[in-house]
Amino acid sequence: GDLKFLLVPSLLADVMAATRDMAERHKALRQALVFWRAFAADCQRLGIAHRDDVRSIDRNPEEAPDAATKRIEKIERYKRSKELDGKVAYLFGKKRQALGDEYQWGHGAGFDEDQERELILTLLGRAVASAADDIASAEQELPLLEMMAARGGPGAAPPPTPQPTEKPFIVRIQDKAELNRIYQEMVFQCPHPLPTMTLGECAEIEMGEMQERQERQG
């Protein structure tokens, strides 16, 4: 009968993790982690929890599995959880038929003490499986919440996005001599337009135009 009280830390963790106030969520998740781990430790001590769930909860960050192993673990945990959900639904159904109230703790005619114990153990095993996933999720979320707090909290404006700078001009020439020629043309280019004729040619044109003007005036 007292086994059902082992669920209390798990329920408290779920309540904490349900906090949606972003100003309080970091603290709430840290508290939830404490409750989840305490709950899992009690279940492990009593031999209730599945060994794979316990191993996942107790695993150090340095022992994190690769993506393929993590995927296999999640699939196996999902299968176990579905089986446990089915068993819980079956036992609650039997209890409802026998006692008329499936959520009333205790046993009676048609639903004996062994079935009540089996129901509680199944609920505990299912809660440990959920805790394994919830702990992993919380540990991923906490660093994001810490980054948000470092920026000034959930109401702070996002950091300004730097303006993209124009990409520098890049000359892709393999011939070093050609590259050097282009470089010299760019460096020593005359800053004003260069003349297209010599001074002598310009003088001859000027003399011819002056002679034509004199002839028209005469």
Side-chain angles (χ1 to χ4, degrees):
D2 292 341
L3 278 176
K4 60 180 176 288
F5 295 110
L6 289 174
L7 285 167
V8 172
S10 175
L11 297 173
L12 289 173
D14 292 344
V15 171
M16 292 292 181
T19 300
R20 290 293 174 262
D21 184 350
M22 299 307 293
E24 299 292 332
R25 184 159 177 77
H26 182 271
K27 178 181 177 182
L29 275 185
R30 289 176 64 89
Q31 292 175 333
L33 284 172
V34 173
F35 284 124
W36 276 321
R37 292 189 181 280
F39 165 69
D42 284 339
C43 291
Q44 180 185 13
R45 176 173 51 84
L46 297 174
I48 298 172
H50 194 282
R51 61 181 182 276
D52 291 342
D53 294 332
V54 172
R55 183 172 63 249
S56 176
I57 292 171
D58 288 343
R59 182 182 289 136
N60 294 324
E62 296 79 11
E63 302 172 349
D66 56 48
T69 303
K70 188 180 296 184
R71 182 173 181 273
I72 293 173
E73 288 183 354
K74 288 182 71 67
I75 291 174
E76 293 300 322
R77 184 177 299 119
Y78 175 79
K79 291 179 180 178
R80 288 197 305 274
S81 298
K82 293 297 288 184
E83 291 177 2
L84 292 170
D85 287 341
K87 190 174 182 179
V88 167
Y90 168 75
L91 290 171
F92 269 135
K94 287 198 66 174
K95 188 172 186 178
R96 182 175 61 252
Q97 292 176 355
L99 304 179
D101 185 356
E102 60 191 292
Y103 299 117
Q104 179 181 350
W105 293 112
H107 53 85
F111 196 82
D112 59 26
E113 186 176 354
D114 289 339
Q115 290 173 314
E116 176 78 359
R117 177 182 174 83
E118 186 179 4
L119 172 59
I120 295 173
L121 291 176
T122 305
L123 287 170
L124 289 169
R126 181 65 178 90
V128 174
S130 295
D133 287 331
D134 292 335
I135 288 173
S137 178
E139 289 180 340
Q140 291 180 351
E141 184 179 352
L142 279 175
L144 301 179
L145 294 174
E146 290 168 0
M147 290 175 58
M148 183 186 300
R151 293 204 307 262
T161 303
Q163 294 295 327
T165 57
E166 185 178 355
K167 293 183 178 180
F169 174 73
I170 300 176
V171 181
R172 302 184 183 277
I173 300 177
Q174 299 300 323
D175 186 350
K176 292 185 179 180
E178 178 68 8
L179 180 61
N180 187 54
R181 184 189 65 78
I182 295 175
Y183 169 75
Q184 289 184 354
E185 287 182 354
M186 293 177 64
V187 172
F188 299 109
Q189 184 176 13
C190 184
H192 52 79
L194 296 175
T196 58
M197 63 182 69
T198 65
L199 291 176
E201 291 172 340
C202 183
E204 289 180 359
I205 293 175
E206 287 290 340
M207 290 295 292
E209 290 177 352
M210 184 170 36
Q211 185 175 359
E212 289 177 0
R213 287 196 297 271
Q214 288 176 350
E215 289 176 354
R216 286 197 298 271
Q217 292 175 357

